[in-house]
């Protein structure tokens, strides 16, 4: 895998830069390097359209060179590289890029914090998470630009999962906090470079993934190396963000900052409908994985365990307690609002 990864890194770096290159750039052109958590196939949807749009509009004034998962640095080192200025901007969740903040555990998939993708932007824009993230990242020299939702978190496995007992001993590629939560059900979390997952499934190093919804499983090739898709999920949407080195961000003229924000928002909007439609259509029309379901009464024990997990996280710091309180209030409000916000 090391050899394969080296090849991907070396060969992919040139490929990543090529589509974004602009001929005869002025000497004064601002140049940024951005790395995403996503591999090339997934990045075609979750970030590249926004970067292409930014580069087209900004023209000679600024260009962003996009790199895919692990091309410049491993995903787990993204934060430090951005903080140092080795990378100017990053698209990732807080959890997998190992941010040294009190909000890191809430990035990616915080168990059962959301039911739908719209929950994430509402939590950030209307329930106060934006202000908390801005404060936490400002402390460590990084600009948190904006957060958005991705897909829900489901298991895709070689063997069928029809009960909680079927999860025991399964070696699963997942996010750090999700893995921490799932260990109580016998799951063995495994950390590997994103580009190595397909091979690890084929060699038996992994039994499955709990990294995404079904849209990503098909898009990145994991549906070709797994046989079953569990319809129960541990979170309704992945929470990820765009970040930048604080000095690089402050150096930008206000209009380029605004343009960058607008392109990030376009990326968030694109993902809202791409994932929402894709999750449904691939469950209905997809042919590569068989759907399985853990009965609601049994899955309710997992949902109850999440509440205990929230309280454990809240006890770790004042900031974490504040975020958990917001998540609790938000979900209680949605439950009281009833259909279509919550039911059942």
């Amino acid at each position: 895998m090391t050899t394969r990864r080296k090849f991907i890194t070396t060969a992919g770096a040139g490929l990543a830069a090529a589509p974004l290159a602009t001929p005869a750039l002025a000497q004064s052109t601002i140049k940024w390097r951005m790395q995403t958590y996503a591999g090339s196939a997934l990045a075609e949807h979750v970030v590249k359209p926004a970067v292409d749009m930014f580069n087209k509009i900004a023209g000679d004034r600024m260009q962003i060179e996009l790199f895919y998962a692990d091309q410049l640095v491993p995903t787990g080192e993204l934060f430090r590289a951005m903080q140092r200025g080795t990378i100017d901007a990053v698209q990732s969740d807080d959890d997998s890029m190992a941010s040294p903040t009190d909000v890191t555990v809430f990035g990616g998939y915080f168990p059962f914090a959301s039911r739908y993708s719209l929950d994430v932007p509402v939590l950030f824009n209307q329930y106060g998470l934006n202000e908390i993230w801005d404060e936490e990242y400002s402390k460590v020299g990084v600009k948190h630009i904006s957060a958005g939702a991705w897909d829900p978190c489901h298991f895709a496995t070689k063997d069928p999962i029809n009960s909680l007992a079927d999860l025991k001993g399964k070696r699963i590629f997942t996010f750090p906090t999700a893995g921490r939560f799932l260990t109580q059900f016998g799951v063995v979390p495994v950390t590997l470079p994103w580009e190595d997952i397909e091979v690890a499934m084929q060699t038996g190093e992994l039994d499955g993934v709990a990294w995404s919804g079904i849209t990503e499983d098909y898009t990145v090739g994991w549906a070709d190396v797994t046989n079953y898709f569990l319809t129960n999920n541990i979170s309704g949407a992945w929470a990820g963000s765009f970040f930048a080195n604080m000095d690089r961000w402050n150096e930008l003229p206000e209009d380029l900052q605004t343009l960058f924000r607008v392109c990030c928002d376009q990326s968030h909007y694109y993902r809202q409908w791409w994932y929402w439609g894709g999750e449904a259509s691939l469950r209905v029309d997809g042919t590569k994985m068989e759907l399985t379901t853990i009965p609601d009464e049994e899955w309710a024990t997992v949902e109850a365990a999440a509440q205990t997990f929230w309280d454990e996280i809240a006890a770790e710091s004042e900031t974490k307690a504040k975020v958990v309180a917001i998540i609790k209030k938000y979900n209680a409000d949605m439950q009281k609002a009833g259909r279509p916000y919550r039911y059942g």
Side-chain angles (χ1 to χ4, degrees):
M1 288 187 184
T2 301
T3 303
R4 177 178 176 272
R5 184 154 65 251
K6 182 177 180 182
F7 168 77
I8 291 172
T9 303
T10 306
L15 293 175
L20 303 177
T22 301
L25 290 179
Q27 286 188 346
S28 59
T29 301
I30 300 168
K31 298 176 183 177
W32 271 18
R33 299 198 301 175
M34 173 192 285
Q35 183 170 311
T36 175
Y37 74 97
S40 57
L42 183 60
E44 286 289 332
H45 293 279
V46 302
V47 65
K48 189 174 181 296
V51 172
D52 287 347
M53 179 186 297
F54 180 93
N55 288 341
K56 183 175 182 180
I57 297 171
D60 267 2
R61 294 188 64 201
M62 181 171 174
Q63 290 289 295
I64 298 172
E65 187 175 11
L66 179 63
F67 295 86
Y68 303 141
D70 305 315
Q71 282 192 335
L72 295 179
V73 297
T75 297
E77 297 175 17
L78 274 177
F79 178 86
R80 296 298 184 190
M82 173 173 49
Q83 189 183 44
R84 291 192 306 267
T86 305
I87 299 173
D88 303 295
V90 164
Q91 181 206 44
S92 178
D93 68 285
D94 319 69
D95 201 20
S96 57
M97 75 172 186
S99 302
T101 73
D102 268 358
V103 298
T104 296
V105 295
F106 303 104
Y109 293 118
F110 191 63
F112 297 98
S114 63
R115 181 176 291 189
Y116 307 118
S117 56
L118 277 174
D119 292 338
V120 173
V122 175
L123 277 163
F124 275 87
N125 295 302
Q126 295 186 357
Y127 276 70
L129 293 193
N130 265 337
E131 290 74 14
I132 296 174
W133 260 245
D134 182 71
E135 181 179 353
E136 287 298 306
Y137 279 97
S138 294
K139 293 176 185 176
V140 291
V142 166
K143 178 64 179 175
H144 177 259
I145 297 167
S146 78
W150 273 248
D151 48 343
C153 184
H154 292 261
F155 285 87
T157 54
K158 289 182 178 179
D159 300 323
I161 306 296
N162 294 299
S163 69
L164 290 180
D166 293 335
L167 291 174
K168 291 181 180 178
K170 293 292 189 292
R171 294 159 298 179
I172 302 293
F173 173 64
T174 189
F175 292 84
T177 299
R180 174 179 166 183
F181 172 70
L182 290 169
T183 54
Q184 64 189 292
F185 304 103
V187 169
V188 180
V190 177
T191 301
L192 289 170
W194 191 91
E195 290 284 3
D196 288 346
I197 302 310
E198 187 171 347
V199 173
M201 288 295 303
Q202 292 171 314
T203 61
E205 187 176 355
L206 288 174
D207 298 307
V209 296
W211 175 272
S212 68
I214 199 168
T215 304
E216 284 195 19
D217 292 334
Y218 273 75
T219 301
V220 306
W222 295 344
D224 298 320
V225 292
T226 55
N227 302 314
Y228 298 93
F229 179 84
L230 182 65
T231 59
N232 311 76
N233 62 60
I234 67 165
S235 184
W238 189 78
S241 297
F242 289 90
F243 305 88
N245 173 279
M246 186 67 80
D247 291 337
R248 297 291 82 73
W249 177 258
N250 289 337
E251 289 167 2
L252 291 184
E254 186 176 356
D255 63 332
L256 287 180
Q257 290 180 350
T258 301
L259 175 60
F260 192 91
R261 289 185 182 277
V262 168
C263 291
C264 290
D265 285 345
Q266 174 62 25
S267 178
H268 296 322
Y269 171 68
Y270 180 103
R271 279 181 273 99
Q272 284 280 355
W273 61 259
W274 183 67
Y275 277 122
W276 186 256
E279 296 299 301
S281 64
L282 286 171
R283 286 191 187 197
V284 174
D285 299 318
T287 59
K288 294 182 179 180
M289 293 188 290
E290 181 180 336
L291 305 184
T292 65
T293 300
I294 295 176
D296 288 345
E297 58 273 16
E298 189 175 2
W299 193 248
T301 63
V302 183
E303 295 178 346
Q307 298 294 320
T308 301
F309 184 75
W310 290 5
D311 291 338
E312 292 172 359
I313 295 295
E316 294 177 355
S317 76
E318 183 178 342
T319 299
K320 290 178 181 178
K322 187 186 298 185
V323 175
V324 168
I326 289 173
I327 291 172
K328 284 185 175 182
K329 173 172 172 47
Y330 175 76
N331 279 279
D333 287 351
M334 295 298 104
Q335 196 67 41
K336 290 175 184 176
R339 297 174 186 270
Y341 300 94
R342 297 288 189 272
Y343 52 92

